[in-house]
Amino acid sequence: MYQDDYKRWLAADLEDADLKPELARIEGNDEEIKDRFAVALKFGTAGLRGVLGAGTNRMNIYVVRQATQGLANWVKTQGGNQTVAISYDSRLKSDVFAKTAAGVLAANGIKVRIYDALMPVPALSFATRYYQCNAGIMVTASHNPAKYNGYKAYGPDGCQMTDDAAAIVYAEIQKTDVLDGAKYISFAEGVENGLIRFVGDDCKKALYDAIESRQVRPGLCKTAGLKLVYSPLNGSGLVPVTHVLNDMGITDVTIVPEQEYPNGYFTTCSYPNPEIYAALELGLKLAEEVGADLMLATDPDADRVGIAMKCPDGTYELVSGNEMGVLLLDYICAGRIEKGTMPKNPVAVKSIVSTPLADAVAAHYGVEMRNVLTGFKWIGDQIASLEAAGEVDRFIFGFEESYGYLAGPYVRDKDAIIGSMLICEMAAYYRSIGSSIKQRLEEIYAEYGRYLNKVDSFEFPGLTGMDKMSGIMQGLRDNPPAEFAGNKVVKVTDYKKSEETGLPAANVLIYGLEDGATVVVRPSGTEPKIKTYFTTLGKDLAEAQAEKDKLAEAMKPILA
């Protein structure tokens, strides 16, 4: 079967000049052909994600056309504006895929609003809402290595598409022949006939206004003298992040030169992920040279931001997503109470795998903390339910431990632009009162206890990887562990049992241990890996770390 598909692609008159040589190169190599044609990239709630190249199991213009035809078929049943917003980041072929998708939509009589240059995830979410679109498309593979690209689909609320809608789109995709089943006109023709239009300056300005209106202490940064090093990691953050920082009065910004401009090859770091040290290395070196108070980096689609803070001894320390989530929550709550801008019955939202320290901080300030499944769309879902009840102003902050933050309901996905703005404002504030982010973090630990949150990943590559992962998860359900490293399991929460959790079913297991530690086991939704999240609590960091190490050791044979 896959050999037949391969031969068909090989014989076809392909429009992308890169695909033909690749197909010719693998001729007679069964393994290589199988890898590209034995399966098709599956369209899930995160859309598509795969390695660039030829075949049904790769990202290329034909797979993008097929996916977009499936989306178009769904949009046509939705009434409304019959409009789709499109944005793209700096990855290889992102602009090509974005224009390809626009051509398919236009050929189906659907209007398109596309950014005239690369813009991040929050800008796409915002434009989808601003133009009251039926859907949105973001061409990105987030923080994956350079050989990947992807396609995220959004619903009319600017939130990533629901499971139900994604299932309908997937069914339509499967009815569409990958090489010639999609309707298509060129981007130029779509522009000429008025179906494809660029996102207007009014929309861009409205996004910046919405973000800047969420400052906790407006005007503070103009006089605080904050010194910043910033890296967009060769992605889409440069323009929006520097625009907002400049508006706030943060002008002493040094951009990491090698990572300043869009470059889909990500030559300075193989994995452009602000969660990992290697991605921040150049920025840290520069921060030391210029004596910056703070170094921050946004990922290629600028929905996540990682930072390093300056310590009293002049060294720099990375801040985890959990720590930054807690710091921002604490800063927003204290600042809004002080300024009299805290809404009545405020609500914050975080994912179930994020630190319980945030629940303690929220309780301290009288904020209701809602815990939702992993995936920012579930935070967006909480904002939507508040909006439906006419209480959207109650939402003050949402975060995930994987460096995603949002303060305000103007978009429905994580936003590194507002994350960068609030982190800088917070740093400027602590600097202005003779403190620092580092000092405030130590104060929080002194007040609530020394929480430690660590994530380990186990990879399961290859075609059998997914089967191995589901076997491990099934094994944990069939034979639940009674203890980890001698620490007794006192509570097991299986998120597949939605009647017990009150949340939609999800493949997540959480073990509560006798000493208050928790272990979370969850397969990734986008990559062939199982993640384990450990939360330990000690009198100091060493004690919390020792406990984590013991638990991680105990997990290894289970996930081997």
Side-chain angles (χ1 to χ4, degrees):
M1 176 67 181
Y2 60 86
Q3 285 286 358
D4 296 341
D5 286 343
Y6 164 69
K7 285 174 189 149
R8 190 177 161 226
W9 279 61
L10 192 60
D13 181 18
L14 300 177
E15 290 165 56
D16 183 339
D18 293 339
L19 303 180
K20 267 286 190 240
E22 182 185 346
L23 291 166
R25 198 176 65 243
I26 62 170
E27 194 160 11
N29 186 331
D30 189 66
E31 268 310 294
E32 292 283 2
I33 292 168
K34 190 176 181 180
D35 187 40
R36 286 165 178 77
F37 290 94
V39 293
L41 285 183
K42 188 167 170 14
F43 187 95
T45 47
L48 300 167
R49 193 175 294 184
V51 173
L52 290 157
T56 53
N57 192 29
R58 292 286 188 272
M59 281 297 294
N60 52 65
I61 57 172
Y62 298 102
V63 167
V64 168
R65 284 182 191 178
Q66 183 191 34
T68 310
Q69 185 62 53
L71 182 75
N73 292 354
W74 175 76
V75 167
K76 286 190 240 181
T77 65
Q78 295 301 296
N81 265 348
Q82 295 290 289
T83 306
V84 175
I86 300 178
S87 186
Y88 56 94
D89 68 5
S90 62
R91 287 187 171 270
L92 303 175
K93 295 196 188 284
S94 278
D95 55 340
V96 175
F97 293 162
K99 288 177 174 171
T100 297
V104 172
L105 293 163
N108 281 276
I110 294 165
K111 297 190 283 288
V112 173
R113 282 284 189 164
I114 185 170
Y115 279 97
D116 55 3
L118 70 166
M119 279 293 268
V121 158
L124 182 273
S125 179
F126 189 83
T128 304
R129 294 174 61 77
Y130 186 84
Y131 291 113
Q132 299 176 330
C133 296
N134 296 77
I137 296 167
M138 178 74 200
V139 180
T140 177
S142 190
H143 54 277
N144 280 50
K147 65 180 181 179
Y148 285 85
N149 210 330
Y151 176 112
K152 284 187 193 169
Y154 286 74
D157 55 356
C159 213
Q160 277 195 41
M161 192 169 255
T162 63
D163 292 346
D164 295 346
I168 297 166
V169 172
Y170 183 51
E172 292 297 328
I173 289 170
Q174 288 178 299
K175 293 179 202 166
T176 306
D177 183 85
V178 65
L179 285 180
D180 56 21
K183 294 179 183 171
Y184 181 70
I185 59 172
S186 73
F187 187 80
E189 195 183 329
V191 172
E192 272 163 33
N193 64 25
L195 280 163
I196 298 174
R197 294 174 66 191
F198 289 111
V199 168
D201 288 343
D202 54 334
C203 177
K204 293 176 194 172
K205 183 181 183 303
L207 170 65
Y208 292 138
D209 289 348
I211 291 169
E212 290 167 19
S213 73
R214 305 302 293 193
Q215 291 175 69
V216 178
R217 294 181 168 89
L220 171 94
C221 293
K222 287 183 169 63
T223 54
L226 187 77
K227 209 174 171 62
L228 176 72
V229 165
Y230 168 56
S231 171
L233 293 179
N234 302 119
S236 60
L238 177 67
V239 170
V241 170
T242 54
H243 179 110
V244 168
L245 295 183
N246 195 46
D247 282 357
M248 292 168 71
I250 296 177
T251 50
D252 191 348
V253 182
T254 307
I255 312 281
V256 178
E258 303 92 328
Q259 297 173 335
E260 181 167 5
Y261 295 111
N263 173 3
Y265 292 99
F266 305 117
T267 41
T268 59
C269 57
S270 57
Y271 201 55
N273 181 352
E275 287 182 76
I276 60 173
Y277 177 78
L280 306 186
E281 216 161 353
L282 285 173
L284 285 166
K285 226 170 89 184
L286 191 57
E288 277 166 19
E289 280 167 28
V290 302
D293 299 298
L294 191 64
M295 186 259 145
L296 47 96
T298 52
D299 64 344
D301 59 346
D303 59 355
R304 303 180 327 140
V305 54
I307 83 144
M309 58 185 172
K310 192 178 191 179
C311 300
D313 63 359
T315 61
Y316 291 84
E317 189 181 306
L318 300 192
V319 183
S320 75
N322 273 315
E323 289 175 326
M324 186 45 73
V326 166
L327 280 160
L328 285 172
L329 176 67
D330 172 71
Y331 175 72
I332 290 166
C333 290
R336 289 188 69 166
I337 288 167
E338 180 200 310
K339 292 283 178 194
T341 55
M342 185 66 115
K344 268 174 85 168
N345 307 321
V347 171
V349 191
K350 72 175 179 69
S351 62
I352 53 175
V353 299
S354 300
T355 180
L357 176 53
D359 299 79
V361 171
H364 172 82
Y365 289 108
V367 172
E368 178 195 343
M369 177 60 82
R370 297 183 181 178
N371 286 279
V372 295
L373 298 176
T374 308
F376 222 87
K377 65 177 180 181
W378 299 113
I379 295 175
D381 199 43
Q382 289 296 320
I383 303 173
S385 67
L386 287 168
E387 188 172 54
E391 302 176 341
V392 78
D393 291 341
R394 288 175 60 196
F395 173 73
I396 58 164
F397 186 59
F399 84 97
E400 288 189 318
E401 51 71 44
S402 54
Y403 294 60
Y405 316 105
L406 178 64
Y410 58 96
V411 295
R412 297 297 150 86
D413 210 333
K414 45 194 180 282
D415 177 7
I417 313 170
I418 200 166
S420 300
M421 176 186 90
L422 288 170
I423 289 165
C424 290
E425 187 195 305
M426 174 171 70
Y429 170 69
Y430 290 134
R431 193 176 188 277
S432 74
I433 59 167
S435 177
S436 65
I437 292 180
K438 170 72 175 168
Q439 195 177 323
R440 182 59 196 149
L441 185 60
E442 293 307 326
E443 287 164 329
I444 289 170
Y445 282 138
E447 188 172 343
Y448 299 96
R450 188 57 175 91
Y451 283 76
L452 177 72
N453 307 93
K454 291 283 184 184
V455 187
D456 290 347
S457 287
F458 294 81
E459 298 207 7
F460 299 88
L463 292 172
T464 57
M466 289 302 190
D467 294 338
K468 281 185 192 152
M469 283 162 56
S470 61
I472 287 168
M473 294 305 289
Q474 196 52 52
L476 284 167
R477 288 188 167 91
D478 294 343
N479 305 298
E483 47 94 35
F484 294 101
N487 199 338
K488 212 167 112 194
V489 174
V490 291
K491 185 178 183 210
V492 182
T493 310
D494 185 349
Y495 282 83
K496 271 205 166 166
K497 300 176 178 168
S498 47
E499 66 282 358
E500 288 175 22
T501 63
L503 296 174
N507 194 7
V508 181
L509 290 162
I510 298 189
Y511 300 94
L513 308 184
E514 198 164 28
D515 67 354
T518 56
V519 178
V520 182
V521 185
R522 151 183 183 265
S524 164
T526 51
E527 299 165 283
K529 53 172 72 163
I530 289 180
K531 292 184 171 184
T532 51
Y533 303 78
F534 302 95
T535 298
T536 53
L537 187 54
K539 62 178 187 293
D540 56 25
L541 180 57
E543 188 178 85
Q545 183 66 51
E547 162 83 338
K548 184 265 160 181
D549 293 342
K550 278 196 326 212
L551 293 174
E553 249 341 281
M555 281 308 294
K556 276 182 189 163
I558 298 172
L559 297 177

